């Protein structure tokens, strides 16, 4: 399989502080890869290393089979879109799109053709004669994307391009970015701290923490089979419920409750008398008429209800443990109510308490 970008044993340090540590990552041709993590995890730093904006301490970066570790950004065949639009305020949209091509001494006819093509793809043809001050935030971001598009490169790098926009615009532009990738079929590497962006855009997600990749996989793999507690907690809104207990004879015991784990898929086989953490997503807790057919059944005491239109979030107590439960938006639930719930162990995630790795 051909790789568009290969990162080999990459280290980056600022003085005594290691920001990236022996990082390896292969990105497929035409893939949309999202680097996801909280602030300070190293995702933007990694993107800047790929772009050539930061010098690496050790390791190599290959783009389209060529070692570009020490190459200038202009020699790497990349187009970059930043969080801030970074448009020239005195130039029209057309001037902003064509500026880099003019500096690179492209023929006038080719500049016109590339600008027209990018404007058509991004549907900004009516805006070409406007200045950035006359554009909305979403339109400015499209122009910033267009400036990368006109370069006709193999790899596009996006550094949190939607984070300055309001929620509705973010959702609209997210859809446009996905369509753009389907249309162009170029490799795209996208940095975000927003898990919704990651889940909806990515072919694969690399979840980062402390300069390391904690898990690399498809959105489906990361959601359904998180490899450790950090990933399980990071993905999902509201986040996964965690209960600490002990594994005994193929069952999970927490306080005076014992849950048989028949139907659970083990990574390395069932452990005995191991301190463990079971994780259950709020949307996987069964409520209503289906409880009667659930493999395991319990009762929680409701202590808070959040109606959200399409969903209702219920916060309750299972013994002394807090649980978040996602129910249908039309569900009628009252504070203080005893709510029957069901759990299917095959949809739960089980982790070793000490190593935090998936069992």
């Amino acid at each position: 399989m051909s790789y568009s970008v290969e990162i080999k044993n990459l280290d980056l340090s600022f003085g005594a502080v290691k920001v990236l540590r022996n990082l390896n990552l292969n990105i497929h041709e035409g893939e949309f890869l999202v680097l996801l993590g909280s602030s300070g995890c190293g995702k933007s730093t990694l993107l800047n290393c790929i772009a050539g904006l930061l010098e690496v301490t050790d390791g190599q970066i290959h783009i389209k089979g060529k070692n570009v570790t020490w190459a200038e950004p202009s020699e790497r065949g990349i187009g970059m879109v930043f969080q801030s639009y970074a448009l020239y305020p005195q130039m029209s949209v057309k001037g902003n799109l064509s500026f880099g091509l003019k500096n690179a001494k492209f023929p006038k006819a080719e500049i016109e053709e590339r600008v027209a093509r990018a404007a058509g793809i991004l549907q900004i043809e009516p805006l070409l004669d406007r200045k950035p001050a006359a554009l909305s935030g979403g339109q400015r971001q499209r122009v910033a994307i267009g400036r990368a598009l006109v370069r006709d490169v193999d790899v596009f790098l996006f550094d949190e391009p939607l984070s300055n926009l309001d929620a509705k615009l973010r959702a609209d532009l997210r859809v446009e970015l996905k369509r753009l990738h389907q249309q162009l079929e170029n490799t795209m590497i996208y940095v975000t701290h927003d898990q919704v962006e990651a889940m909806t855009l990515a072919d694969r997600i690399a979840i980062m923490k402390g300069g390391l990749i904690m898990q690399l996989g498809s959105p489906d793999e990361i959601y359904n089979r998180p490899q450790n507690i950090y990933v399980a907690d990071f993905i999902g809104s509201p986040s996964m419920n965690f209960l600490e207990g002990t594994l005994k004879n193929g069952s999970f015991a927490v306080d005076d409750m014992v849950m048989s784990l028949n139907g659970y898929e083990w990574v390395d086989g069932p452990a005995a008398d191991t301190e463990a953490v079971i994780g259950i997503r709020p949307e996987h807790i069964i409520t209503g008429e289906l409880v009667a057919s659930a493999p395991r059944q319990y009762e929680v005491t409701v202590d808070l209800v959040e109606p959200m239109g399409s969903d209702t979030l219920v916060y309750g107590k299972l013994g002394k443990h807090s649980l978040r439960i996602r129910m249908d938006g039309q569900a009628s639930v009252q504070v203080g109510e005893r709510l029957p719930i069901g759990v299917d162990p095959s949809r739960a995630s089980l982790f070793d308490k000490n190593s935090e790795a998936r069992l």
Side-chain angles (χ1 to χ4, degrees), residues 14 77 110 124 131 134 136 145 156 198 203 267 300 319 326 334 343:
F14 295 123
E110 188 175 347
I124 54 173
K131 299 274 179 72
S136 69
I145 293 168
F156 290 102
D203 295 321
V267 175
V300 299
R326 188 191 292 277
Q334 306 299 322
V343 174

Side-chain angles (χ1 to χ4, degrees), residues 3 7 29 53 87 111 124 167 173 196 222 243 253 285 293 296:
Y3 294 119
I7 296 161
E29 198 75 54
L53 302 176
L87 302 178
I111 292 174
I124 54 173
L173 263 180
V196 175
I222 280 174
L243 300 175
I285 293 176
S293 58
R296 314 284 175 267

Side-chain angles (χ1 to χ4, degrees), residues 178-326:
K178 189 149 190 164
R179 286 208 179 107
L180 182 66
H181 179 249
Q182 289 171 352
Q183 189 176 347
L184 298 176
E185 297 181 344
N186 290 55
T187 305
M188 295 186 176
I189 306 172
Y190 187 102
V191 162
T192 183
H193 62 271
D194 186 325
Q195 56 166 296
V196 175
E197 278 179 27
M199 296 291 283
T200 51
L201 287 171
D203 295 321
R204 285 191 304 162
I205 301 171
I207 296 189
M208 295 185 66
K209 178 189 178 189
L212 298 169
I213 293 175
M214 305 300 284
Q215 185 171 352
L216 174 65
S218 69
D220 186 59
E221 287 166 353
I222 280 174
Y223 177 80
N224 288 307
R225 294 186 60 79
Q227 292 305 299
N228 52 62
I229 289 177
Y230 179 79
V231 172
D233 192 35
F234 196 86
I235 290 289
S237 179
S239 58
M240 189 179 272
N241 296 295
F242 295 104
L243 300 175
E244 292 185 7
T246 309
L247 282 177
K248 288 182 180 177
N249 305 321
S251 295
F252 180 78
V254 51
D255 299 337
D256 56 353
M257 295 179 297
V258 178
M259 181 189 294
S260 169
L261 294 173
N262 292 337
Y264 183 85
E265 282 186 32
W266 297 90
V267 175
D268 295 316
D273 290 354
T274 301
E275 286 192 323
V277 177
I278 198 165
I280 306 164
R281 294 205 177 278
E283 52 272 32
H284 292 164
I285 293 176
I286 302 162
T287 57
E289 296 171 1
L290 297 174
V291 172
S293 58
R296 314 284 175 267
Q297 296 163 25
Y298 307 97
E299 257 192 359
V300 299
T301 304
V302 176
D303 57 13
L304 184 69
V305 179
E306 283 187 336
M308 300 182 71
S310 59
D311 299 319
T312 297
L313 294 183
V314 174
Y315 296 77
K317 291 281 188 187
L318 179 63
K320 60 184 180 185
H321 302 279
S322 296
L323 280 188
R324 292 177 292 274
I325 305 161
R326 188 191 292 277

